[in-house]
Amino acid sequence: MSHAPAALETTATGIDNRKLLMWLFLASETLLFGSLIAAYLLYRGQSVVGPYPEELFDIPFTSVSAFVLLMSSVTMVLALAAIQRGDQRGLRIWLFTTALLGMLFISGQAFEFTEFNREGLSLSSNLFGTTFFVLTGFHGAHVTVGVLVLLSLLVMALRGRLTRSQSMNVELVGLYWHFVDVVWIAIFTLVYLIQP
Amino acid sequence: MTLAESRGIKRPPEHEADARQAGGRAHPGPLEYTRIGLILAVITAVEVGAFYMDIAQWALVSILVVLSAVKFSLVVMWFMHLRFDSRLFSGLLVGGLMLAAALFVVVLSTLGGGLT
Amino acid sequence: MVEAMRKLRADAESYQGWWSWLTTVDHKRIGVMYGVTAFSFFLLGGVEALLIRLQLSTSNGQVLDPDAYNRLFTMHGTTMIFLVVMPLSAAFFNLLIPLLIGARDVAFPRLNAFSFWVFLAGGLFMNASFFTGGIFQGKLGAPDAGWFGYAPLSLVSTGQGIDFWAFGLLILGIASMAAGFNFIVTIFNMRAPGMTLLRMPVFVWMTLVTSFLIIFAMPIITVALFELLFDRLYGANFFNMAAGGKPLLWQHMFWLFGHPEVYILILPAMGIVSEVLPTFSRKPLFGYQFVIFSGLAIAFMSWGVWAHHMYTTGLGTIANSAFAVSTMLIAVPTGIKIFSWIATLWGGSINLKTPLYFSVGFISMFVIGGLTGVMHTVVPSDYQQQDTYFVVAHFHQVLFGGAMFGLFAGIYYWFPKFTGRLLHEGWGKLHFWLMFIGFNLTFQPMMILGLLGMPRRIYSYGSGTGWDFLNMLATAGAFLIGLSILVFMINVVVSLRRKERAGADPWDGRTLEWSLPSPVPPYNFAEIPTVRARDDFWHQKYAEDEEGRPVPIVAGGAYQAEEEEGEEEAETGHGIHMPSPSFWPLIAAIGLPIMAAGFIYQESANLLPMIAIGAVITIVGIYGWALEPASE
């Protein structure tokens, strides 16, 4: 998150440079996840050998982790609301909670991956393994990056270097975080709940 | 504010700029956010509930797709502030989504595969 | 304030030496580095082309063995597209966009530097593949599956060539995406007061459209390349038929990216030509809005034509017909542009200088490229032409006859703005004629060869085929092109040594950059201009008489006054904030190829530490970048 020099001047459209950059990035990310989801849908139910998704998926477990990520979006936006009214304590609490929920989600995914692996699913075992691990892996990588950035923000906040005037930093990270969350909303439905 | 005027101002008052981006309205507060969060939680519960109910596949698929679309819209409209911010942002996101959907519907229909 | 500006100027003069280039965030310096680097790759890709032409000059050629031939044509295509035409266009974006919209720099100067360093890293990484096959035993490495890398050929290819290719393209993709985001934000947000969207020069519009194509097309090829790499390195099954995978998915994803990519390559050249023609006809561009909206239409429609590369894969009659229609339709906005350019020349007071030669060369050669393209849209006709030299001739007609001629027009046109010296006209025209004749001598015989049935991507052909003479012509033409490039390089050297200065406005230009001294000072505009019209600078210099003819505004007019009073005027304005130099973008870029090499060789040696080192370097670079202040 760079401190763009343009923040010194207002822009021709009145839109913040960095916010526009983030939205452009997210718009292009729709094509990235679109491509990954398309590959999953193309090969849905096409695996010639097992293990198959219906044997592996643990819907209650995944529902909990989907819920965790969803709630992290709520805490993220509360962190933004906190910094916008200058509530430093609230900012720290909600940033911390969001990062924690994010880490919880990642741990859940790590557990799920190892569990599936133990039951014989790997990147090379069949089309399901290939498309599932790559799609959810890409998403997990995005969450991981988000957690790292959230922790960086938290450190800045704890050292008093994230003031009300820098709320844009939190807003930008928030946009990224919510986007990663909505991608999971799509994955949770298309991959887990709708089975062939 | 005209362009010339805006150029004259070196640094806009910070907090005002936070709340009102160009072409946008003020962002909502914690109460609304929490309320949206509750709705999202309920919808997720309904989704998982529907999954365990004994209903026809086509009905299940439709319910799930609609519900997740509602969740998706709630998050992007409220938490990502598309309801309040510049419409350029909405255009970018919706444009990206529609492009991805259009392209891959064609690819999937020529290659086979899909939702059901 | 005047004091501050003097200090800034003194700073700029002391800001020299190699370190200043490594840490620069000045869009003009980054543009120059983009241009010089891309031109070096152009020479490399050109040598590859000449080797290919030597091999094919006679039947049963003995210059290259089949393996080396495959690697060379793959690298030639990849280099010319990703390391030459795209970055040369990026060089023009960098050099010109802030000047054309009246800004001091791009929106994110350090992201811009990052984009260049990542491009350089990706280009070197890609070419490092040559050394992977045991170069000392006389065997070339390098990818060997064509620039399109079709699966399953790219899966069964042995060695590390394809891995280098895929990671190289991923790294280059990061560079393009970074530039794409940056220029969209710059064009939306950094415009000077009064520079409304419909007053922007056409080149700015084409940059905007190209940038949007880049940010939406690149993610698709990114996913495709990751899928290919997962298949190759970790045994995934995306394109593995034995596991039920569909190799055709690669073709779809490649061309979903690949056809917008074609317009990513040509639209910037169209923008350049749209700037050159009005200046040298001393007339405004004919149908400004039509040129812009046809550019938008091309970009929009470019998403619906990808499968015309895939007629012969058995998509079915309906799909083939639909894509045939959409592809024919895309010729309409393209045709609109061509008529606009011709109408711009029509009735103008033509100033026949080298940039105009190249622009007219662009129009004529691009028309042939476009028309042969329309021939391909007809499905039965395409069945005949698929994988023949007719296709090779067609896309060179577009990418060389089109994009490269346009880019050379831009080089001749803007060279004085950034160096303070005009390129020599005599050498320039010699360059043009050699290139124009060489180009036609190379590719028109290929058209005939293709129709005679000579297939692409073959390393040799028998003596009874009757293809010898035309191939020899093509080879002779290719060497003529090579000679013309040599002439161009001599021209650059000779011109840079000229004592004569070009002055601020050597061509009687129309757009804002010509209001600035040549070379442009680091801060571009002493005072941010206020724009009152399209072709604003022209209107500062000329009024119109009753019949619409331009009449110079006499001495003491707006233009003169501004140049003399620039410094004093700045007193009333606000301070100039220039971004500080930074080496963090360079550091962040260095980590990427290290990580990529770690992944590729992880199988043969445990290179997890190498991946980790690369990752740490990049992360340190990004943190350093995020935490340092952007300007003092």
Side-chain angles (χ1 to χ4, degrees):
Chain A
M1 301 301 109
S2 61
H3 309 279
L8 298 169
E9 294 173 50
T10 45
T11 62
T13 54
I15 295 170
D16 184 271
N17 276 349
R18 292 192 295 157
K19 201 165 168 181
L20 181 55
L21 179 78
M22 179 53 82
W23 272 109
L24 288 166
F25 171 70
L26 297 181
S28 88
E29 288 269 283
T30 58
L31 271 290
L32 184 98
F33 282 105
S35 306
L36 289 164
I37 292 173
Y40 184 87
L41 294 181
L42 176 64
Y43 292 142
R44 171 201 293 277
Q46 307 275 317
S47 296
V48 285
V49 290
Y52 301 104
E54 52 275 22
E55 305 162 15
L56 295 177
F57 282 159
D58 180 353
I59 296 300
F61 179 84
T62 314
S63 304
V64 171
S65 67
F67 182 74
V68 164
L69 197 61
L70 199 59
M71 288 306 111
S72 79
S73 248
V74 181
T75 56
M76 181 74 236
V77 81
L78 289 176
L80 176 64
I83 192 175
Q84 281 177 343
R85 27 167 230 278
D87 171 7
Q88 280 288 322
R89 191 161 160 272
L91 170 68
R92 289 169 196 169
I93 292 173
W94 292 123
L95 277 181
F96 176 74
T97 319
T98 311
L100 197 68
L101 290 172
M103 285 189 281
L104 202 58
F105 176 84
I106 291 292
S107 321
Q109 195 172 37
F111 172 76
E112 186 190 40
F113 276 23
T114 38
E115 198 65 10
F116 285 7
N117 206 262
R118 227 164 32 84
E119 292 177 50
L121 189 74
S122 72
L123 201 54
S124 57
S125 55
N126 58 10
L127 282 175
F128 170 58
T130 294
T131 52
F132 173 80
F133 281 124
V134 171
L135 170 58
T136 54
F138 260 87
H139 179 264
H142 276 76
V143 178
T144 309
V145 169
V147 168
L148 287 178
V149 179
L150 280 170
L151 291 176
S152 311
L153 278 188
L154 182 61
V155 170
M156 279 171 74
L158 288 173
R159 292 168 64 187
R161 292 187 39 199
L162 197 59
T163 57
R164 193 171 174 182
S165 61
Q166 290 157 315
S167 70
M168 186 50 80
N169 287 334
V170 179
E171 187 169 352
L172 294 175
V173 175
L175 286 176
Y176 174 82
W177 190 258
H178 299 309
F179 179 79
V180 172
D181 181 34
V182 295
V183 170
W184 190 257
I185 291 176
I187 292 177
F188 180 57
T189 302
L190 293 174
V191 173
Y192 289 90
L193 294 183
I194 302 179
Q195 291 173 14
Chain B
M1 196 190 292
T2 67
L3 280 171
E5 280 168 358
S6 71
R7 283 286 168 181
I9 297 171
K10 250 174 156 180
R11 187 191 269 274
E14 280 151 4
H15 312 312
E16 260 179 68
D18 285 340
R20 292 188 281 104
Q21 291 283 320
R25 291 175 280 152
H27 291 172
L31 202 68
E32 283 106 316
Y33 290 144
T34 318
R35 203 175 294 149
I36 300 291
L38 276 175
I39 299 174
L40 289 171
V42 171
I43 297 178
T44 309
V46 173
E47 280 183 324
V48 178
F51 177 79
Y52 284 106
M53 281 204 297
D54 194 19
I55 48 177
Q57 174 79 3
W58 67 266
L60 179 66
V61 169
S62 339
I63 291 171
L64 290 175
V65 168
V66 168
L67 286 180
S68 58
V70 170
K71 275 163 75 180
F72 190 103
S73 320
L74 282 176
V75 173
V76 297
M77 281 166 65
W78 289 84
F79 293 175
M80 298 171 87
H81 306 125
L82 283 186
R83 247 179 79 103
F84 314 99
D85 276 354
S86 166
R87 294 181 52 186
L88 179 63
F89 300 151
S90 311
L92 286 172
L93 184 72
V94 173
L97 287 172
M98 279 174 36
L99 182 63
L103 295 182
F104 288 108
V105 162
V106 176
V107 171
L108 289 182
S109 61
T110 51
L111 279 178
L115 265 185
T116 44
Chain C
M1 177 47 65
V2 177
E3 199 46 48
M5 294 223 8
R6 289 217 180 90
K7 184 175 170 298
L8 208 64
R9 241 172 234 181
D11 278 356
E13 272 157 29
S14 67
Y15 183 55
Q16 275 167 0
W18 59 271
W19 180 250
S20 74
W21 287 90
L22 292 182
T23 59
T24 187
V25 293
D26 179 344
H27 69 96
K28 299 176 289 297
R29 285 185 167 216
I30 292 169
V32 169
M33 291 198 290
Y34 250 116
V36 171
T37 312
F39 189 77
S40 314
F41 284 125
F42 179 60
L43 296 181
L44 196 62
V47 169
E48 286 157 6
L50 292 181
L51 284 170
I52 292 169
R53 281 319 313 168
L54 270 184
Q55 164 69 12
L56 293 178
S57 57
T58 58
S59 49
N60 304 313
Q62 298 295 327
V63 181
L64 300 168
D65 61 55
D67 183 64
Y69 183 87
N70 288 345
R71 297 180 196 281
L72 282 175
F73 86 69
T74 300
M75 282 305 283
H76 166 72
T78 307
T79 301
M80 288 304 193
I81 286 168
F82 294 101
L83 303 180
V84 179
V85 177
M86 278 178 84
L88 269 183
S89 305
F92 282 106
F93 300 167
N94 271 291
L95 289 169
L96 292 167
I97 292 302
L99 301 181
L100 289 173
I101 61 173
R104 294 218 168 98
D105 208 318
V106 294
F108 301 97
R110 290 177 299 173
L111 186 63
N112 212 20
F114 177 70
S115 161
F116 169 73
W117 294 116
V118 173
F119 155 65
L120 181 61
L124 294 176
F125 188 79
M126 177 80 79
N127 278 286
S129 64
F130 273 118
F131 302 102
T132 60
I135 193 92
F136 299 114
Q137 287 88 52
K139 282 194 296 193
L140 283 181
D144 56 358
W147 86 278
F148 37 81
Y150 279 174
L153 181 60
S154 49
L155 291 183
V156 297
S157 166
T158 53
Q160 283 84 34
I162 299 287
D163 305 320
F164 270 83
W165 177 79
F167 271 115
L169 289 186
L170 285 174
I171 296 173
L172 292 168
I174 295 172
S176 306
M177 298 274 288
F181 295 135
N182 206 346
F183 284 107
I184 295 173
V185 177
T186 304
I187 292 170
F188 274 134
N189 273 358
M190 307 290 281
R191 281 170 289 137
M195 180 61 85
T196 57
L197 289 177
L198 284 177
R199 284 181 190 163
M200 295 197 309
V202 175
F203 181 73
V204 179
W205 266 102
M206 292 305 118
T207 304
L208 183 66
V209 172
T210 306
S211 300
F212 268 107
L213 286 179
I214 287 175
I215 69 162
F216 286 125
M218 279 293 164
I220 304 175
I221 192 71
T222 300
V223 170
L225 290 166
F226 269 115
E227 290 176 350
L228 177 66
L229 284 168
F230 275 115
D231 273 17
R232 281 181 61 89
L233 298 177
Y234 303 110
N237 301 311
F238 283 107
F239 310 115
N240 176 10
M241 285 183 72
K246 291 172 179 167
L248 210 50
L249 175 65
W250 170 269
Q251 282 199 37
H252 274 290
M253 295 189 71
F254 187 83
W255 291 117
L256 276 177
F257 149 80
H259 209 83
E261 169 73 10
V262 171
Y263 294 98
I264 291 170
L265 297 170
I266 195 71
L267 285 172
M270 289 179 164
I272 291 172
V273 169
S274 304
E275 298 303 322
V276 170
L277 289 173
T279 302
F280 292 90
S281 323
R282 298 172 59 82
K283 259 179 74 188
L285 185 69
F286 183 88
Y288 169 89
Q289 283 96 337
F290 284 96
V291 175
I292 285 167
F293 286 108
S294 60
L296 289 171
I298 288 174
F300 187 73
M301 292 161 80
S302 74
W303 293 100
V305 297
W306 78 89
H308 69 218
H309 296 270
M310 301 168 62
Y311 285 154
T312 54
T313 59
L315 295 171
T317 319
I318 295 171
N320 276 356
S321 315
F323 279 99
V325 170
S326 65
T327 311
M328 286 177 199
L329 279 178
I330 206 168
V332 175
T334 316
I336 291 174
K337 286 189 175 230
I338 288 167
F339 285 118
S340 293
W341 293 325
I342 295 173
T344 304
L345 288 167
W346 186 263
S349 56
I350 306 283
N351 182 14
L352 257 182
K353 293 284 167 44
T354 315
L356 188 63
Y357 273 63
F358 276 98
S359 296
V360 175
F362 164 90
I363 297 174
S364 55
M365 292 300 99
F366 181 75
V367 165
I368 299 179
L371 290 178
T372 46
V374 175
M375 289 170 73
H376 293 307
T377 66
V378 183
V379 180
S381 164
D382 184 78
Y383 280 174
Q384 294 298 312
Q385 293 150 5
Q386 171 90 12
D387 277 343
T388 68
Y389 261 87
F390 192 77
V391 178
V392 177
H394 154 71
F395 67 71
H396 280 90
Q397 202 83 42
V398 176
L399 293 180
F400 196 130
M404 282 311 293
F405 272 79
L407 290 166
F408 271 117
I411 293 174
Y412 277 90
Y413 181 49
W414 280 298
F415 191 84
K417 184 46 50 192
F418 298 98
T419 62
R421 308 284 194 290
L422 283 162
L423 279 169
H424 191 274
E425 277 294 309
W427 284 106
K429 281 171 184 158
L430 180 64
H431 168 202
F432 171 78
W433 283 115
L434 284 176
M435 197 162 110
F436 188 77
I437 295 168
F439 174 79
N440 281 289
L441 198 56
T442 309
F443 295 104
Q444 309 315 344
M446 280 191 198
M447 299 261 183
I448 303 168
L449 279 171
L451 293 177
L452 289 174
M454 179 169 169
R456 295 167 75 173
R457 306 173 196 132
I458 50 158
Y459 87 104
S460 185
Y461 52 92
S463 52
T465 51
W467 300 337
D468 281 69
F469 175 67
L470 288 168
N471 269 300
M472 183 53 91
L473 277 188
T475 302
F479 276 86
L480 216 50
I481 296 174
L483 183 66
S484 76
I485 300 304
L486 202 64
V487 169
F488 169 70
M489 292 196 292
I490 293 171
N491 193 357
V492 170
V493 174
V494 169
S495 302
L496 282 177
R497 287 159 169 250
R498 287 213 283 195
K499 288 206 178 60
E500 196 189 331
R501 309 292 303 217
D505 186 19
W507 307 119
D508 201 5
R510 314 178 68 85
T511 36
L512 286 176
E513 77 276 27
W514 303 110
S515 69
L516 301 171
S518 310
V520 181
Y523 47 84
N524 297 353
F525 296 91
E527 174 74 358
I528 297 296
T530 300
V531 177
R532 290 177 193 83
R534 194 178 299 152
D535 289 342
D536 191 62
F537 185 51
W538 178 265
H539 293 292
Q540 289 175 33
K541 294 186 291 185
Y542 294 96
E544 275 182 8
D545 64 14
E546 304 84 64
E547 280 149 57
R549 282 180 305 226
V551 181
I553 294 169
V554 280
Y559 160 55
Q560 285 294 332
E562 233 171 68
E563 188 154 86
E564 282 157 17
E565 288 167 22
E567 269 186 30
E568 277 69 37
E569 265 182 39
E571 258 185 293
T572 59
H574 44 81
I576 297 178
H577 299 278
M578 292 308 291
S580 316
S582 171
F583 51 86
W584 295 114
L586 173 58
I587 305 239
I590 288 174
L592 297 174
I594 298 178
M595 262 191 281
F599 278 112
I600 292 175
Y601 287 105
Q602 218 218 317
E603 248 176 291
S604 40
N606 187 8
L607 284 178
L608 273 179
M610 187 163 172
I611 300 173
I613 290 170
V616 167
I617 293 176
T618 295
I619 291 172
V620 166
I622 291 172
Y623 270 90
W625 176 352
L627 295 176
E628 79 178 342
S631 61
E632 71 267 43

